[in-house]
Amino acid sequence: MSPVTLETDRFVHGAWGEAAHDLEWHPGRPLNIGWHCSDRLCRLGLGEKPALLWEDHQGNARRYTFDDLRVLTNTMAEYLRHAAGLHPGERICLFLDRVPELYFGFLAILKMGGIAQPLFSAFGDDSLWTRLDNAGTAAVVTQRKHLGKVRRARERLPELRAVIVVDAGDLALAPGELALDLERLPRVERFAGHATEAEAPSVLHYTSGTTGQPKGAQHVHLSVLGQYLTARRVLDLRPDDVYWCNADPGWVTGTSYGIIGPWANGITQAVLDAGFQSDRWYAFLEKYRVTVWYSAPTAIRLLMRDGSELARRYDLSALRHLASVGEPLNPEAVVWSRETFGRPFHDTYWQTETGSIVVANLPGMEVKPGSMGKPFPGVTATVVDPQSGEPVGQPGRAGLLALRPDFPSIIRSYWRNPEAFAAKFRNGWYLTGDRASIDGDGYFWFVGRDDDVINTGGHLVGPFEIESAMLEHPAVAESAAVAKPDPVNMEVVKAFVVLKPGREVDDELELEIMNTLRKRLSPLAMPQEIAFVPSLPKTRSGKIMRRVLRAQEWGEPVGDLSTMMED
Ligand code: WT7
């Protein structure tokens, strides 16, 4: 039986009833995110309103209305279904930079009943292959510049039938590779294929845990109720807003709040397909007169490093609401943003698994700098004692942050990994894997993660993935990856390596190991430092104790080693 308990009544009269009402959905009726984010808005008369204001790093700009969104996603859905021969329920990966096809492709996959699997285009060979292999992906939509990686992955992926290239031009394609030129395809006015069940799988987002390879968090179309309502209430979106979410859709923030939430509300989104650069970002905010901005603490710390002076050279007067997610938002960042932008960043907390914001500083609520805020109405959150699994019930006492798994966007399963999914639940609570406390006013305070996952610049990196990649170098006998403190990214990866007997440490070897990793992982997962050590601390049964290494890096007490040694 699924641990997720959704009572239909809550979507009629309860907290999510407002979303169901606004989206004109009733329990038992079909629901499709792709249709809701495009066709429905045209029906409401918003067809001519800009949906996407897109710009790349070279300054090329494009503008699409909701009617363009409707027709282009229809066209792409038709293509995927009929030209590429893909079926509802199949996993279709988007391996693209933030080009318009990424946004259209996401909605098109949902329209034709497929499961969208967005992956960060900077992933190296192993990171890409592991996720495609686990998902049994049927097709990858990509660009020429990433085709080499996809081709190499495909050699070891029997289930991958089609590779679709959105900018193939005159490139010679191999069998099973298709060129998709969206602008040249006949425009499809009507696409019949959006009658998905509300509980039909929609999106598969891979997230890292401590053990094993990354897990695919599987969401459903019903999640749109959560994304719609939280985008409206927490991000304070209003009809005239120009909204910017600077996250890449390879991560859940970039889909839940970079596609679904805002577009389900009929909001104009600005997208910048370029990496971080303070002046470039300010110029973008100014040019598009962005009113609501959803960002992350690492980006804010980078902006802080470049100073308020730089910000003042731009006209940022359109900014009305700022929110942040992904890591602890330090109080200094809130104070700095008040001084620099005239308004604070509002912290929000959630995860890949929750699909939408669960704890937040709502607009108008008193912000306690350093706190994540309070549970979103409709979400029941608490802090449970790690031993008893029951709420600690005492203000200020830290424990495990837990949620009732009864809101629309909560994960339904980990793809092909029901054991890991079941392990996330206890006494009817979903355990987030984070530690937190609740103060006397009901504000939640983040304490830290309850596992060895490394949060670098808001991105979770699993130590296992890095360690496996390191072991691929012939000189490496054992390895461990842990978080080390960093002023900008909060945490960065530090690797410990034990070499095979007879191998000596030298600069060249270190470089070789780094290159092994670079090819296989994401740039985000790259260690900032490799320490060569004679041995690693282990439990009696031989498991590496990352916690000991981590405590050393943070100058924290190592704790009771005798109990840790037991496993
Ligand atoms: C983990 C989830 C969905 C947002 C993008 C990341 C950490 C998230 C906060 C916050 C402190 C936070 C937690 C969480 N985290 N928001 N406001 N304060 N920590 O999604 O990759 O699944 O990461 O990010 O540790 O469990 P994700």
Side-chain angles (χ1 to χ4, degrees), residues 2-55:
S2 169
V4 174
T5 50
L6 293 155
E7 284 163 29
T8 312
D9 202 44
R10 299 192 70 201
F11 306 120
V12 186
H13 311 291
W16 305 102
E18 181 186 350
H21 172 267
D22 290 359
L23 298 175
E24 297 172 81
W25 177 77
H26 306 282
R29 296 268 297 275
L31 184 64
N32 186 283
I33 293 174
W35 184 83
H36 266 287
C37 290
S38 55
D39 297 53
R40 184 168 178 276
L41 300 157
C42 298
R43 274 202 194 174
L44 296 176
L46 299 179
E48 295 312 308
K49 182 177 175 176
L52 176 61
L53 307 171
W54 178 90
E55 194 170 304

Short mmCIF file of all heavy atoms in Angstrom, two decimals, residues 2-55:
data_model
loop_
_atom_site.label_atom_id
_atom_site.label_comp_id
_atom_site.label_asym_id
_atom_site.label_seq_id
_atom_site.Cartn_x
_atom_site.Cartn_y
_atom_site.Cartn_z
N SER A 2 0.46 2.25 -0.76
CA SER A 2 1.29 3.46 -0.82
C SER A 2 1.20 4.24 0.50
O SER A 2 0.14 4.38 1.08
CB SER A 2 0.80 4.35 -1.95
OG SER A 2 1.41 5.62 -1.85
N PRO A 3 2.34 4.73 0.96
CA PRO A 3 2.33 5.54 2.18
C PRO A 3 1.73 6.94 1.95
O PRO A 3 1.50 7.68 2.90
CB PRO A 3 3.80 5.64 2.56
CG PRO A 3 4.57 5.32 1.33
CD PRO A 3 3.69 4.52 0.43
N VAL A 4 1.50 7.28 0.69
CA VAL A 4 0.92 8.60 0.38
C VAL A 4 -0.59 8.52 0.58
O VAL A 4 -1.25 7.65 0.03
CB VAL A 4 1.27 9.02 -1.07
CG1 VAL A 4 0.56 10.29 -1.46
CG2 VAL A 4 2.77 9.18 -1.22
N THR A 5 -1.11 9.42 1.40
CA THR A 5 -2.53 9.36 1.73
C THR A 5 -3.23 10.65 1.28
O THR A 5 -3.17 11.66 1.97
CB THR A 5 -2.73 9.22 3.26
OG1 THR A 5 -1.92 10.21 3.89
CG2 THR A 5 -2.31 7.84 3.74
N LEU A 6 -3.86 10.59 0.14
CA LEU A 6 -4.53 11.77 -0.38
C LEU A 6 -6.03 11.60 -0.24
O LEU A 6 -6.60 10.69 -0.82
CB LEU A 6 -4.18 11.95 -1.85
CG LEU A 6 -2.72 12.29 -2.13
CD1 LEU A 6 -2.32 11.88 -3.51
CD2 LEU A 6 -2.48 13.76 -1.92
N GLU A 7 -6.64 12.46 0.56
CA GLU A 7 -8.09 12.35 0.70
C GLU A 7 -8.74 13.32 -0.27
O GLU A 7 -8.49 14.52 -0.24
CB GLU A 7 -8.51 12.67 2.14
CG GLU A 7 -8.21 11.51 3.06
CD GLU A 7 -8.23 11.93 4.52
OE1 GLU A 7 -8.96 12.88 4.84
OE2 GLU A 7 -7.52 11.30 5.31
N THR A 8 -9.55 12.73 -1.14
CA THR A 8 -10.20 13.49 -2.20
C THR A 8 -10.89 14.74 -1.67
O THR A 8 -10.86 15.80 -2.29
CB THR A 8 -11.25 12.60 -2.88
OG1 THR A 8 -10.63 11.35 -3.14
CG2 THR A 8 -11.73 13.20 -4.15
N ASP A 9 -11.45 14.62 -0.48
CA ASP A 9 -12.19 15.72 0.10
C ASP A 9 -11.35 17.00 0.24
O ASP A 9 -11.86 18.10 0.12
CB ASP A 9 -12.67 15.27 1.49
CG ASP A 9 -13.86 16.09 1.93
OD1 ASP A 9 -14.73 16.32 1.08
OD2 ASP A 9 -13.87 16.54 3.09
N ARG A 10 -10.04 16.81 0.44
CA ARG A 10 -9.16 17.97 0.64
C ARG A 10 -9.03 18.79 -0.64
O ARG A 10 -8.58 19.93 -0.61
CB ARG A 10 -7.78 17.52 1.08
CG ARG A 10 -7.81 16.77 2.39
CD ARG A 10 -6.42 16.62 2.92
NE ARG A 10 -5.88 17.89 3.36
CZ ARG A 10 -4.58 18.13 3.49
NH1 ARG A 10 -3.72 17.21 3.21
NH2 ARG A 10 -4.15 19.29 3.92
N PHE A 11 -9.39 18.19 -1.78
CA PHE A 11 -9.29 18.93 -3.04
C PHE A 11 -10.62 19.56 -3.40
O PHE A 11 -10.76 20.19 -4.44
CB PHE A 11 -8.80 18.01 -4.15
CG PHE A 11 -7.52 17.33 -3.78
CD1 PHE A 11 -7.43 15.96 -3.72
CD2 PHE A 11 -6.41 18.10 -3.44
CE1 PHE A 11 -6.26 15.35 -3.34
CE2 PHE A 11 -5.24 17.49 -3.06
CZ PHE A 11 -5.16 16.12 -3.00
N VAL A 12 -11.60 19.33 -2.54
CA VAL A 12 -12.89 19.95 -2.80
C VAL A 12 -13.13 21.06 -1.77
O VAL A 12 -13.29 22.22 -2.13
CB VAL A 12 -14.02 18.89 -2.76
CG1 VAL A 12 -15.35 19.53 -3.17
CG2 VAL A 12 -13.68 17.73 -3.69
N HIS A 13 -13.06 20.70 -0.51
CA HIS A 13 -13.32 21.69 0.53
C HIS A 13 -12.07 22.14 1.27
O HIS A 13 -12.02 23.22 1.80
CB HIS A 13 -14.29 21.11 1.59
CG HIS A 13 -15.49 20.48 0.97
ND1 HIS A 13 -16.46 21.22 0.34
CD2 HIS A 13 -15.85 19.18 0.86
CE1 HIS A 13 -17.38 20.38 -0.12
NE2 HIS A 13 -17.04 19.15 0.17
N GLY A 14 -11.06 21.28 1.29
CA GLY A 14 -9.88 21.54 2.13
C GLY A 14 -8.94 22.58 1.57
O GLY A 14 -9.30 23.37 0.68
N ALA A 15 -7.70 22.57 2.10
CA ALA A 15 -6.72 23.61 1.78
C ALA A 15 -6.43 23.72 0.28
O ALA A 15 -6.15 24.80 -0.22
CB ALA A 15 -5.43 23.31 2.54
N TRP A 16 -6.50 22.60 -0.42
CA TRP A 16 -6.16 22.64 -1.85
C TRP A 16 -7.39 22.86 -2.72
O TRP A 16 -7.30 22.86 -3.95
CB TRP A 16 -5.43 21.35 -2.24
CG TRP A 16 -4.24 21.12 -1.36
CD1 TRP A 16 -4.15 20.26 -0.31
CD2 TRP A 16 -2.99 21.82 -1.42
NE1 TRP A 16 -2.92 20.37 0.30
CE2 TRP A 16 -2.19 21.32 -0.37
CE3 TRP A 16 -2.47 22.82 -2.26
CZ2 TRP A 16 -0.89 21.79 -0.12
CZ3 TRP A 16 -1.18 23.27 -2.01
CH2 TRP A 16 -0.41 22.76 -0.97
N GLY A 17 -8.54 23.02 -2.06
CA GLY A 17 -9.79 23.21 -2.80
C GLY A 17 -9.74 24.45 -3.68
O GLY A 17 -10.27 24.47 -4.78
N GLU A 18 -9.05 25.48 -3.18
CA GLU A 18 -8.95 26.72 -3.96
C GLU A 18 -8.24 26.48 -5.29
O GLU A 18 -8.67 26.98 -6.34
CB GLU A 18 -8.18 27.75 -3.13
CG GLU A 18 -8.04 29.08 -3.84
CD GLU A 18 -7.15 30.06 -3.06
OE1 GLU A 18 -6.81 29.77 -1.89
OE2 GLU A 18 -6.82 31.09 -3.67
N ALA A 19 -7.17 25.67 -5.22
CA ALA A 19 -6.42 25.37 -6.45
C ALA A 19 -7.29 24.55 -7.40
O ALA A 19 -7.36 24.83 -8.61
CB ALA A 19 -5.14 24.61 -6.13
N ALA A 20 -7.96 23.54 -6.86
CA ALA A 20 -8.82 22.69 -7.69
C ALA A 20 -9.92 23.54 -8.33
O ALA A 20 -10.22 23.40 -9.52
CB ALA A 20 -9.42 21.57 -6.85
N HIS A 21 -10.45 24.43 -7.54
CA HIS A 21 -11.52 25.31 -8.03
C HIS A 21 -11.01 26.21 -9.16
O HIS A 21 -11.60 26.28 -10.24
CB HIS A 21 -12.07 26.14 -6.87
CG HIS A 21 -13.03 27.20 -7.32
ND1 HIS A 21 -12.61 28.49 -7.60
CD2 HIS A 21 -14.35 27.16 -7.58
CE1 HIS A 21 -13.66 29.19 -8.01
NE2 HIS A 21 -14.73 28.41 -8.00
N ASP A 22 -9.88 26.88 -8.91
CA ASP A 22 -9.32 27.79 -9.92
C ASP A 22 -8.98 27.04 -11.21
O ASP A 22 -9.15 27.56 -12.31
CB ASP A 22 -8.04 28.46 -9.41
CG ASP A 22 -8.33 29.47 -8.30
OD1 ASP A 22 -9.51 29.65 -7.96
OD2 ASP A 22 -7.36 30.06 -7.78
N LEU A 23 -8.45 25.83 -11.06
CA LEU A 23 -8.02 25.07 -12.24
C LEU A 23 -9.18 24.24 -12.82
O LEU A 23 -8.98 23.47 -13.77
CB LEU A 23 -6.83 24.17 -11.90
CG LEU A 23 -5.55 24.91 -11.44
CD1 LEU A 23 -4.47 23.92 -11.02
CD2 LEU A 23 -5.00 25.83 -12.53
N GLU A 24 -10.36 24.42 -12.22
CA GLU A 24 -11.58 23.73 -12.68
C GLU A 24 -11.39 22.23 -12.76
O GLU A 24 -11.76 21.59 -13.75
CB GLU A 24 -12.03 24.29 -14.02
CG GLU A 24 -12.42 25.75 -13.93
CD GLU A 24 -12.69 26.35 -15.29
OE1 GLU A 24 -13.79 26.15 -15.80
OE2 GLU A 24 -11.77 26.98 -15.85
N TRP A 25 -10.76 21.68 -11.72
CA TRP A 25 -10.55 20.24 -11.69
C TRP A 25 -11.38 19.61 -10.57
O TRP A 25 -11.50 20.17 -9.48
CB TRP A 25 -9.07 19.92 -11.46
CG TRP A 25 -8.83 18.44 -11.35
CD1 TRP A 25 -8.80 17.56 -12.38
CD2 TRP A 25 -8.65 17.68 -10.15
NE1 TRP A 25 -8.60 16.29 -11.90
CE2 TRP A 25 -8.50 16.34 -10.54
CE3 TRP A 25 -8.60 18.01 -8.79
CZ2 TRP A 25 -8.30 15.31 -9.61
CZ3 TRP A 25 -8.40 16.99 -7.88
CH2 TRP A 25 -8.25 15.65 -8.29
N HIS A 26 -11.96 18.46 -10.86
CA HIS A 26 -12.71 17.70 -9.85
C HIS A 26 -12.11 16.32 -9.75
O HIS A 26 -11.71 15.74 -10.75
CB HIS A 26 -14.18 17.57 -10.26
CG HIS A 26 -14.83 18.87 -10.55
ND1 HIS A 26 -15.24 19.73 -9.57
CD2 HIS A 26 -15.10 19.48 -11.74
CE1 HIS A 26 -15.75 20.82 -10.14
NE2 HIS A 26 -15.66 20.70 -11.45
N PRO A 27 -12.07 15.79 -8.53
CA PRO A 27 -11.55 14.43 -8.36
C PRO A 27 -12.21 13.47 -9.34
O PRO A 27 -13.43 13.54 -9.57
CB PRO A 27 -11.91 14.09 -6.92
CG PRO A 27 -12.00 15.40 -6.22
CD PRO A 27 -12.51 16.37 -7.23
N GLY A 28 -11.41 12.60 -9.94
CA GLY A 28 -11.95 11.64 -10.89
C GLY A 28 -11.85 12.12 -12.33
O GLY A 28 -11.94 11.33 -13.26
N ARG A 29 -11.61 13.43 -12.50
CA ARG A 29 -11.51 13.97 -13.86
C ARG A 29 -10.05 13.95 -14.32
O ARG A 29 -9.14 13.97 -13.50
CB ARG A 29 -12.02 15.42 -13.87
CG ARG A 29 -13.51 15.52 -13.53
CD ARG A 29 -14.38 15.49 -14.76
NE ARG A 29 -14.12 16.63 -15.63
CZ ARG A 29 -14.70 17.83 -15.47
NH1 ARG A 29 -15.54 18.04 -14.48
NH2 ARG A 29 -14.44 18.81 -16.31
N PRO A 30 -9.82 13.92 -15.65
CA PRO A 30 -8.43 13.96 -16.13
C PRO A 30 -7.77 15.31 -15.79
O PRO A 30 -8.46 16.29 -15.51
CB PRO A 30 -8.56 13.81 -17.65
CG PRO A 30 -10.00 13.70 -17.97
CD PRO A 30 -10.80 13.88 -16.73
N LEU A 31 -6.47 15.30 -15.82
CA LEU A 31 -5.72 16.52 -15.52
C LEU A 31 -4.41 16.43 -16.28
O LEU A 31 -3.76 15.39 -16.27
CB LEU A 31 -5.45 16.57 -14.01
CG LEU A 31 -4.76 17.79 -13.40
CD1 LEU A 31 -5.63 19.02 -13.56
CD2 LEU A 31 -4.48 17.56 -11.92
N ASN A 32 -4.03 17.51 -16.95
CA ASN A 32 -2.77 17.48 -17.70
C ASN A 32 -2.04 18.80 -17.55
O ASN A 32 -2.54 19.86 -17.92
CB ASN A 32 -3.03 17.16 -19.17
CG ASN A 32 -1.73 16.97 -19.92
OD1 ASN A 32 -1.04 17.92 -20.26
ND2 ASN A 32 -1.37 15.71 -20.15
N ILE A 33 -0.84 18.71 -17.02
CA ILE A 33 -0.04 19.92 -16.76
C ILE A 33 0.23 20.68 -18.06
O ILE A 33 0.15 21.91 -18.11
CB ILE A 33 1.29 19.55 -16.06
CG1 ILE A 33 1.01 18.99 -14.65
CG2 ILE A 33 2.21 20.75 -16.00
CD1 ILE A 33 2.25 18.45 -13.94
N GLY A 34 0.54 19.95 -19.13
CA GLY A 34 0.86 20.58 -20.41
C GLY A 34 -0.30 21.44 -20.91
O GLY A 34 -0.12 22.57 -21.38
N TRP A 35 -1.48 20.89 -20.80
CA TRP A 35 -2.69 21.61 -21.24
C TRP A 35 -2.96 22.81 -20.33
O TRP A 35 -3.28 23.90 -20.79
CB TRP A 35 -3.87 20.63 -21.21
CG TRP A 35 -5.13 21.21 -21.73
CD1 TRP A 35 -5.51 21.30 -23.05
CD2 TRP A 35 -6.20 21.80 -20.97
NE1 TRP A 35 -6.75 21.90 -23.15
CE2 TRP A 35 -7.19 22.22 -21.88
CE3 TRP A 35 -6.40 22.01 -19.61
CZ2 TRP A 35 -8.37 22.85 -21.49
CZ3 TRP A 35 -7.58 22.64 -19.20
CH2 TRP A 35 -8.54 23.05 -20.13
N HIS A 36 -2.77 22.60 -19.01
CA HIS A 36 -3.04 23.68 -18.06
C HIS A 36 -2.12 24.87 -18.23
O HIS A 36 -2.49 26.00 -17.95
CB HIS A 36 -2.96 23.16 -16.63
CG HIS A 36 -4.30 22.76 -16.11
ND1 HIS A 36 -5.24 23.69 -15.76
CD2 HIS A 36 -4.86 21.57 -15.93
CE1 HIS A 36 -6.34 23.07 -15.37
NE2 HIS A 36 -6.14 21.77 -15.48
N CYS A 37 -0.88 24.59 -18.67
CA CYS A 37 0.10 25.66 -18.79
C CYS A 37 0.04 26.37 -20.15
O CYS A 37 0.83 27.27 -20.40
CB CYS A 37 1.50 25.12 -18.55
SG CYS A 37 1.77 24.67 -16.84
N SER A 38 -0.84 25.92 -21.03
CA SER A 38 -0.90 26.58 -22.34
C SER A 38 -2.34 26.73 -22.84
O SER A 38 -2.91 27.84 -22.78
CB SER A 38 -0.04 25.82 -23.35
OG SER A 38 -0.41 24.45 -23.42
N ASP A 39 -2.98 25.64 -23.27
CA ASP A 39 -4.33 25.72 -23.86
C ASP A 39 -5.32 26.46 -22.95
O ASP A 39 -6.09 27.29 -23.41
CB ASP A 39 -4.87 24.32 -24.12
CG ASP A 39 -4.04 23.57 -25.14
OD1 ASP A 39 -2.80 23.49 -24.94
OD2 ASP A 39 -4.59 23.07 -26.13
N ARG A 40 -5.27 26.09 -21.65
CA ARG A 40 -6.27 26.65 -20.75
C ARG A 40 -6.18 28.18 -20.69
O ARG A 40 -7.19 28.87 -20.63
CB ARG A 40 -6.07 26.06 -19.36
CG ARG A 40 -7.12 26.52 -18.41
CD ARG A 40 -7.14 25.75 -17.11
NE ARG A 40 -8.15 26.32 -16.27
CZ ARG A 40 -7.95 27.37 -15.51
NH1 ARG A 40 -6.75 27.91 -15.47
NH2 ARG A 40 -8.94 27.88 -14.81
N LEU A 41 -4.96 28.70 -20.73
CA LEU A 41 -4.78 30.14 -20.62
C LEU A 41 -5.30 30.84 -21.87
O LEU A 41 -5.83 31.94 -21.81
CB LEU A 41 -3.31 30.45 -20.36
CG LEU A 41 -2.88 29.77 -19.07
CD1 LEU A 41 -1.40 29.55 -19.01
CD2 LEU A 41 -3.38 30.54 -17.86
N CYS A 42 -5.15 30.17 -23.02
CA CYS A 42 -5.67 30.75 -24.26
C CYS A 42 -7.19 30.80 -24.19
O CYS A 42 -7.81 31.78 -24.60
CB CYS A 42 -5.20 29.95 -25.46
SG CYS A 42 -3.41 29.97 -25.61
N ARG A 43 -7.78 29.74 -23.63
CA ARG A 43 -9.23 29.73 -23.43
C ARG A 43 -9.69 30.87 -22.56
O ARG A 43 -10.80 31.37 -22.69
CB ARG A 43 -9.65 28.44 -22.73
CG ARG A 43 -9.88 27.33 -23.66
CD ARG A 43 -10.78 26.34 -22.98
NE ARG A 43 -10.76 25.11 -23.73
CZ ARG A 43 -11.35 24.00 -23.35
NH1 ARG A 43 -12.01 23.95 -22.21
NH2 ARG A 43 -11.29 22.94 -24.09
N LEU A 44 -8.84 31.24 -21.60
CA LEU A 44 -9.19 32.33 -20.69
C LEU A 44 -8.92 33.70 -21.31
O LEU A 44 -9.02 34.72 -20.64
CB LEU A 44 -8.40 32.21 -19.38
CG LEU A 44 -8.68 30.97 -18.51
CD1 LEU A 44 -7.75 30.94 -17.30
CD2 LEU A 44 -10.14 30.95 -18.06
N GLY A 45 -8.47 33.70 -22.56
CA GLY A 45 -8.26 34.97 -23.26
C GLY A 45 -6.85 35.53 -23.12
O GLY A 45 -6.61 36.70 -23.43
N LEU A 46 -5.91 34.71 -22.64
CA LEU A 46 -4.54 35.21 -22.46
C LEU A 46 -3.62 34.86 -23.63
O LEU A 46 -2.40 35.00 -23.52
CB LEU A 46 -3.94 34.65 -21.16
CG LEU A 46 -4.66 35.01 -19.86
CD1 LEU A 46 -3.96 34.36 -18.66
CD2 LEU A 46 -4.70 36.52 -19.66
N GLY A 47 -4.19 34.39 -24.74
CA GLY A 47 -3.40 33.92 -25.88
C GLY A 47 -2.35 34.92 -26.36
O GLY A 47 -1.25 34.52 -26.73
N GLU A 48 -2.66 36.18 -26.31
CA GLU A 48 -1.71 37.19 -26.82
C GLU A 48 -0.71 37.66 -25.78
O GLU A 48 0.21 38.43 -26.08
CB GLU A 48 -2.46 38.40 -27.40
CG GLU A 48 -3.32 38.07 -28.63
CD GLU A 48 -2.52 37.25 -29.66
OE1 GLU A 48 -1.42 37.68 -30.03
OE2 GLU A 48 -3.01 36.17 -30.07
N LYS A 49 -0.91 37.23 -24.54
CA LYS A 49 0.01 37.66 -23.47
C LYS A 49 1.36 36.95 -23.62
O LYS A 49 1.40 35.76 -23.92
CB LYS A 49 -0.62 37.30 -22.12
CG LYS A 49 0.20 37.72 -20.92
CD LYS A 49 -0.50 37.40 -19.60
CE LYS A 49 0.43 37.73 -18.44
NZ LYS A 49 -0.19 37.55 -17.13
N PRO A 50 2.48 37.67 -23.39
CA PRO A 50 3.78 36.98 -23.46
C PRO A 50 3.90 35.90 -22.38
O PRO A 50 3.57 36.16 -21.22
CB PRO A 50 4.81 38.08 -23.22
CG PRO A 50 4.08 39.37 -23.26
CD PRO A 50 2.62 39.09 -23.08
N ALA A 51 4.32 34.72 -22.79
CA ALA A 51 4.53 33.62 -21.84
C ALA A 51 6.02 33.52 -21.52
O ALA A 51 6.41 33.32 -20.38
CB ALA A 51 4.04 32.30 -22.43
N LEU A 52 6.85 33.67 -22.57
CA LEU A 52 8.29 33.47 -22.40
C LEU A 52 9.09 34.60 -23.05
O LEU A 52 8.95 34.85 -24.25
CB LEU A 52 8.68 32.11 -23.03
CG LEU A 52 10.16 31.73 -23.04
CD1 LEU A 52 10.73 31.61 -21.64
CD2 LEU A 52 10.36 30.40 -23.79
N LEU A 53 9.90 35.25 -22.23
CA LEU A 53 10.84 36.25 -22.74
C LEU A 53 12.21 35.62 -22.57
O LEU A 53 12.69 35.49 -21.46
CB LEU A 53 10.75 37.55 -21.93
CG LEU A 53 9.34 38.14 -21.80
CD1 LEU A 53 9.33 39.30 -20.82
CD2 LEU A 53 8.83 38.61 -23.18
N TRP A 54 12.78 35.19 -23.69
CA TRP A 54 14.00 34.38 -23.61
C TRP A 54 15.21 35.13 -24.13
O TRP A 54 15.10 35.90 -25.10
CB TRP A 54 13.77 33.10 -24.43
CG TRP A 54 14.95 32.18 -24.50
CD1 TRP A 54 15.24 31.18 -23.63
CD2 TRP A 54 15.99 32.18 -25.49
NE1 TRP A 54 16.40 30.55 -24.01
CE2 TRP A 54 16.88 31.14 -25.14
CE3 TRP A 54 16.25 32.96 -26.62
CZ2 TRP A 54 18.02 30.86 -25.90
CZ3 TRP A 54 17.39 32.68 -27.37
CH2 TRP A 54 18.26 31.63 -27.00
N GLU A 55 16.34 34.92 -23.49
CA GLU A 55 17.58 35.53 -23.96
C GLU A 55 18.75 34.60 -23.68
O GLU A 55 18.75 33.92 -22.65
CB GLU A 55 17.78 36.86 -23.23
CG GLU A 55 18.82 37.74 -23.86
CD GLU A 55 18.83 39.15 -23.28
OE1 GLU A 55 17.79 39.82 -23.28
OE2 GLU A 55 19.90 39.55 -22.80
#
